[in-house]
Amino acid sequence: GKRIGPPSSQDSREMWGLLPAEITRSYRVVKELGRGTYGTVLMAERVDPGEDEALLVAIKLCRPQPGEMPLMAKEGLAMTRLGDVKNCAKLIDMGCIAHQGGLCWIIMEHLV
């Protein structure tokens, strides 16, 4: 398969490396869209998109401070409740890991 390109900043590369292998094998990072206090957002493309799957996605990564994991979970759940609303990104995947300082992620459609 295709080789996954690393994100641009050192912090993004570290977070990308903590993601489960099924995610890093499924997406190729195109560029870093932005960084802030809460985390980093990457634009990525699916390596092998299925028929009904978005080609471009936004991947939000966060190294959570105490109390922030529930906030990311709430954000992802809110996206699922919206369902198929025009001009709202659909949630594709979300999760959290606790090892190596922790990491939360939300993968959603990239809207242009």
Side-chain angles (χ1 to χ4, degrees):
K2 289 183 181 176
R3 182 78 188 133
I4 308 300
S8 56
S9 74
Q10 177 65 32
D11 193 42
S12 295
R13 282 191 293 275
E14 285 177 25
M15 289 189 285
W16 182 259
L18 291 175
L19 286 168
E22 66 187 46
I23 293 173
T24 59
R25 282 193 303 257
S26 298
Y27 297 96
R28 184 182 65 79
V29 174
V30 175
K31 66 181 179 177
E32 188 175 281
L33 292 175
R35 263 189 295 164
T37 344
Y38 195 62
T40 301
V41 179
L42 305 172
M43 178 194 297
E45 62 184 2
R46 286 190 185 270
V47 173
D48 294 314
E51 190 127 336
D52 295 329
E53 296 175 322
L55 176 61
L56 283 180
V57 299
I59 301 177
K60 182 177 184 177
L61 301 170
C62 170
R63 300 288 305 243
Q65 300 300 312
E68 288 180 344
M69 274 192 197
L71 290 175
M72 286 283 281
K74 285 180 183 179
E75 182 178 346
L77 292 172
M79 292 176 77
T80 62
R81 285 190 206 113
L82 286 173
D84 198 13
V85 176
K86 187 177 179 178
N87 297 325
C88 288
K90 289 182 192 168
L91 177 72
I92 296 170
D93 187 25
M94 64 180 273
C96 291
I97 55 173
H99 71 283
Q100 295 185 10
L103 178 71
C104 294
W105 67 89
I106 293 178
I107 301 175
M108 64 194 101
E109 286 181 309
H110 179 265
L111 301 178
V112 205

